[in-house]
Amino acid sequence: MINRFLNIFLIIVLLAVASGCIEDGFTDDSSARPEFSVDTLNLGLTFTGELTPVHSFRVYNRHDRNLLISRIALRDGSDAYRLNVDGVAGKEFTDVAIRPHDSIYVFVDAQFPPVGRDGKLTVKSLLDFEVNGGRSTVVLSAECIDVTVVQASVLSADALWSGAYHVMGDVTVASGVTLNLAEGSTLYFHDKASLNVEGAVVADGTPEKPVVMCGDRNGTMVGRIPYDIVPGQWGGVTFAGPGSRLSHTVVRNTSSGIAVTGGELSMLNCVVRNSRESVISVTDAEVKAVGCEFADAPEGVVTLDGRARLTMNHCTVANSYLFAPVTGALLELKDDGVSCHITNSIIYGNGPMMNTKSPASDDVTLRRCLVGADGSDDDTFIDMIWNSDPMFITDTDRYIFDYRVGPGSPALGAADASLTLPEAVRDFYGRERGSTPDLGAYEH
């Protein structure tokens, strides 16, 4: 027992001696400066009037003595930002100490006033750190945009949306009602929010100003993966009525993609990508897609069921999905009654090319398409380019999912111009296909 108490006493003495050896003085070297984990803290896209997510950076003392930061404050005194320095909230901080070779965290969020104009406005502020008469600065930067907030609702009269919208819950377009989306409109959907179309949606995007439907997250998540490629950020779009038309429209990062469950949908030069289920599913409905990209899904990129009818011309169906095992085919034809006719297109990527109950059906034809699978021409597959790599300019290691084709691609100039529909004369970017068009959605 005596030995045990002696050991405890010795430990206490050693700890006291060690703590006494810590340098309590502060460096007064005028060249001593803190270092930062970032030069510019980018808050990304922010909706005016709404509080941003919390961002952070670290402040390092690389020196052998304590560093005393005499003052931390925004140079312009902006009230838009909320700061927390080393666990203390405030607007201005004085005498903040950092031990040798240690660091502290600075947390930042903001709520910006309206910018009063269309489009984005970059707002920058300077956060100053004063030490020994000198000043170091971290730039705080945000892209601010005015948005119209839309709560869960039913649209019971025709409407025109133009500009930016933050959709917080499910929005239903009632039967007999048309929602028009002007060129350049962007719909930012909150988690689990969806667009349910019992009437019609007419989206009039252009090559210069496409209509965009996406999630409302920005920046990066765990592992520095950009939210711009993360699926499942919002529900998706369901079309159940007649008369919907999408032109130059981007739909990305959904849970269930576009689901067409009734009526018909026309799509021209659209990009639908990155869904947790299928990118587009058609059940007992009709879809015509010209110049469209359908990409990245685990359960079948394009899925047809019931009496679905699909026509595709100059489309790209691709799959480089990263977030789950790919269990479906690029084309999932789940019922003998489906009708599917695809021309001048590319079908390539992870998963089988096609899963169908009726590959020899007169209502299923692929004509002059490039595919990654082995095969031979017959009554279903006509004038095909088999077992070929279209040489997409994707780079999944850098999270680049670009399904245009690169130099030397077998898709270049390989389309049958006689099969190019009149509305396919230009691609998503406005490039003319000409007399020797490329296969797929895009002209090189």
Side-chain angles (χ1 to χ4, degrees), residues 215-261:
D216 62 0
R217 300 294 300 270
N218 68 83
T220 58
M221 59 179 295
V222 176
R224 311 305 294 173
I225 297 173
Y227 272 108
D228 190 52
I229 68 160
V230 176
Q233 295 186 43
W234 59 289
V237 187
T238 300
F239 293 94
S244 288
R245 174 175 54 82
L246 307 180
S247 177
H248 293 86
T249 298
V250 179
V251 180
R252 64 175 186 260
N253 303 334
T254 62
S255 290
S256 55
I258 289 179
V260 189
T261 61

Side-chain angles (χ1 to χ4, degrees), residues 17-74:
V17 171
S19 64
C21 292
I22 295 176
E23 175 61 65
D24 290 327
F26 293 93
T27 179
D28 56 3
D29 185 351
S30 61
S31 66
R33 294 286 183 271
E35 294 184 13
F36 306 99
S37 58
V38 295
D39 296 320
T40 299
L41 183 67
N42 188 356
L43 276 64
L45 181 66
T46 65
F47 304 137
T48 60
E50 300 183 24
L51 192 63
T52 71
V54 176
H55 299 259
S56 67
F57 64 94
R58 293 178 73 177
V59 185
Y60 298 95
N61 176 11
R62 305 294 193 189
H63 307 285
D64 294 328
R65 299 183 66 189
N66 292 320
L67 186 70
L68 183 66
I69 304 176
S70 57
R71 182 174 180 267
I72 302 173
L74 287 162

Side-chain angles (χ1 to χ4, degrees), residues 4-22:
R4 180 183 177 188
F5 282 116
L6 285 173
N7 289 335
I8 294 173
F9 176 76
L10 288 172
I11 292 172
I12 293 172
V13 171
L14 290 172
L15 288 174
V17 171
S19 64
C21 292
I22 295 176

Side-chain angles (χ1 to χ4, degrees), residues 365-395:
T365 59
L366 280 73
R367 185 185 298 268
R368 197 53 182 170
C369 294
L370 183 153
V371 297
D374 287 321
S376 58
D377 288 358
D378 56 22
D379 291 340
T380 297
F381 303 103
I382 304 161
D383 194 22
M384 300 285 288
I385 300 177
W386 295 99
N387 194 21
S388 295
D389 184 344
M391 300 171 61
F392 295 135
I393 55 176
T394 57
D395 185 343

Side-chain angles (χ1 to χ4, degrees), residues 80-99:
Y81 293 93
R82 300 193 310 179
L83 304 176
N84 184 300
V85 175
D86 200 25
V88 178
K91 302 294 290 184
E92 182 175 334
F93 307 84
T94 57
D95 296 336
V96 178
I98 309 178
R99 288 186 176 278

Side-chain angles (χ1 to χ4, degrees), residues 309-364:
R309 300 176 302 283
L310 173 66
T311 301
M312 291 201 302
N313 181 244
H314 279 287
C315 289
T316 295
V317 181
N319 203 3
S320 301
Y321 193 76
L322 294 178
F323 297 93
V326 173
T327 58
L330 290 123
L331 299 174
E332 282 275 343
L333 280 57
K334 294 187 174 183
D335 193 288
D336 290 339
V338 303
S339 172
C340 178
H341 300 285
I342 304 175
T343 51
N344 279 352
S345 295
I346 296 173
I347 304 167
Y348 185 88
N350 298 336
M353 178 191 75
M354 179 184 290
N355 177 20
T356 174
K357 292 186 176 183
S358 54
S361 168
D362 291 339
D363 282 333
V364 178

